[in-house]
Every structure is written in structure tokens, then in C-alpha cells.
Amino acid sequence: KQWYQRRVRGNKFRDVLHNTFDMTDDILMDRVFRAFDKDMDSFLSQEEWVLGLSVFLKGTLEERVAYCFDVYDMNSDGYISREEMFQMLKNSMVKVLSDL
């Protein structure tokens, strides 16, 4: 199949994040996928893939801030609660401490 006829599932996307960007945090990878998956159909279309990577790699400061906010706003209520921040950071901190 040609690329434009394919859709990427979460597991394949996680493989790309891990192998290309060395991401290992499952929660973070899931949240990045959800930020890319604008129509929330659990697949990434070619357009979602290109637009997501564009912001992820070369977006303006404002676009990258909005993207990061979407990743951390786990319940999509427009706010980042203490609990959401804790959930996103705890695995990162545990990994950093275990690497020391």
C-alpha cells in the first residue's frame, strides 16, 4: 500500500518514538500519540502524522507550547492539575534516578 492509504496504529507510532527519539516512558508516548491523533480514531492518518511531526520538530514556540500543554492536559479540560503534572513527571524522575 502507498503511504497515503495507510494509517499508523499506536504500537507502530510508539516504536518510531522509541527508535527515533529514544523515548521510553509509556505514558508520555501514549500522550504524544493522542496529541497527534486529532480525530481520536486511534490511528494516525498521513495528515495527522505530517502535522504532528511538523509541530514536534519545527513548530513555532507558540505551537510547541500548545502541543506540550495538550500532552500534559491528560483529561483535556484546559488545565494541568497537580495530579496530571505528577503523573507525567513521576516516571521520568524514576528513570533519571535509576540511571544515576
Side-chain angles (χ1 to χ4, degrees):
K1 288 185 178 182
Q2 294 178 351
W3 163 249
Y4 63 84
Q5 295 175 328
R6 292 189 210 163
R7 299 183 308 168
V8 176
R9 283 187 170 253
N11 289 340
K12 178 66 176 170
F13 183 75
R14 290 165 69 106
D15 290 344
V16 170
L17 290 179
H18 178 71
N19 295 328
T20 306
F21 300 105
D22 206 24
M23 280 191 193
T24 58
D25 185 321
D26 290 331
I27 293 173
L28 181 60
M29 289 189 288
D30 182 55
R31 295 302 305 161
V32 170
F33 179 83
R34 289 173 191 248
F36 275 47
D37 185 20
K38 295 298 185 188
D39 63 5
M40 296 182 280
D41 67 351
S42 298
F43 293 94
L44 296 182
S45 67
Q46 180 184 16
E47 182 178 350
E48 288 171 325
W49 175 261
V50 171
L51 290 174
L53 278 180
S54 176
V55 171
F56 189 71
L57 298 174
K58 297 199 178 239
T60 65
L61 178 59
E62 186 174 304
E63 289 171 326
R64 288 182 290 161
V65 167
Y67 167 78
C68 289
F69 188 90
D70 287 345
V71 169
Y72 277 73
D73 182 16
M74 297 175 82
N75 63 1
S76 300
D77 67 353
Y79 300 94
I80 299 174
S81 69
R82 180 178 294 204
E83 293 78 24
E84 289 168 323
M85 183 66 71
F86 177 76
Q87 286 299 319
M88 293 301 295
L89 293 178
K90 79 174 183 181
N91 290 337
S92 298
M93 296 306 294
V94 168
K95 183 178 181 340
V96 168
L97 292 175
S98 69
D99 289 346
L100 295 177

